[in-house]
Amino acid sequence: QKFRFLLLSGVRHGELAAIRGADINWPSKTVRIRQGKTGKFKTVGPLHHGAMDILKEFAANSDTQFVFYRGGKINKRIYRIFADACLRANVPYGQDTPNGLTLHDCRHTATTHLLESGISPKTVQEWMGWADSSFVLYYSVSSKKSREKAGRALDKLAGKKTA
């Protein structure tokens, strides 16, 4: 569920670890996030049902002020769990492995998905908490889906019918 929340929110793993119950605004479906790199705060949301359900589950089961981890710090066991899941799925894992998947890739995936879904780059920039708009390009990935969409758009420009 933690991995899923990373995809559904686009937050960094360290930011996930530091979310406190008091950071969640249930009526507005937003979460106040202390950014790991700058220490500044950003607000993520409004989140949709999947992310809110995960927040509710973890908040209800937490016996500390933190929602996902007891002390607000990353539990290193999560990396072993993620590596084992990748191994079982036959997916390369690790920063030093060619095409290896890491937890931070959830942030790239979320950015790419938002852009492919037609969300404006400015909204993506604000959601992710980037002061510089160039990070939108840095975090997005050219996918087969986006290249096919580009090809259809150019076909349309040239007056060809597309399926």
Side-chain angles (χ1 to χ4, degrees):
Q1 290 291 64
K2 292 174 186 173
F3 305 130
R4 192 163 173 246
F5 189 83
L6 292 174
L7 283 171
L8 292 170
S9 66
V11 301
R12 294 177 184 92
H13 186 221
E15 294 169 346
L16 172 90
I19 295 173
R20 297 171 305 191
D23 295 327
I24 304 167
N25 184 320
W26 297 105
S28 70
K29 299 179 181 178
T30 59
V31 181
R32 187 170 182 250
I33 303 287
R34 183 179 189 97
Q35 294 181 279
K37 291 193 175 188
T38 65
K40 295 180 180 178
F41 285 91
K42 68 177 176 181
T43 299
V44 172
L47 297 170
H48 215 264
H49 303 297
M52 291 305 295
D53 289 346
I54 294 168
L55 280 175
K56 285 177 190 171
E57 175 189 340
F58 278 89
N61 292 317
S62 177
D63 57 1
T64 72
Q65 66 175 323
F66 297 101
V67 175
F68 290 98
Y69 293 98
R70 296 181 65 80
K73 303 277 186 207
I74 298 170
N75 182 328
K76 301 294 183 189
R77 263 185 353 172
I78 198 77
Y79 295 108
R80 177 56 27 219
I81 293 167
F82 192 61
D84 290 346
C86 287
L87 182 65
R88 285 192 308 275
N90 202 27
V91 172
Y93 168 79
Q95 196 171 357
D96 299 326
T97 302
N99 298 317
L101 190 63
T102 67
L103 283 173
H104 194 71
D105 290 328
C106 292
R107 195 159 167 82
H108 291 268
T109 301
T111 299
T112 300
H113 184 71
L114 290 171
L115 292 169
E116 286 181 346
S117 297
I119 305 303
S120 76
K122 183 65 177 173
T123 300
V124 174
Q125 177 187 347
E126 289 176 6
W127 185 286
M128 295 299 184
W130 296 315
D132 186 338
S133 62
S134 66
F135 281 102
V136 176
L137 286 175
Y138 174 77
Y139 273 85
S140 63
V141 177
S142 175
S143 67
K144 181 179 178 186
K145 179 181 174 181
S146 65
R147 290 188 301 274
E148 287 173 350
K149 187 176 179 181
R152 284 192 303 274
L154 292 173
D155 267 357
K156 186 176 178 181
L157 173 70
K160 303 215 182 222
K161 293 185 179 184
T162 59

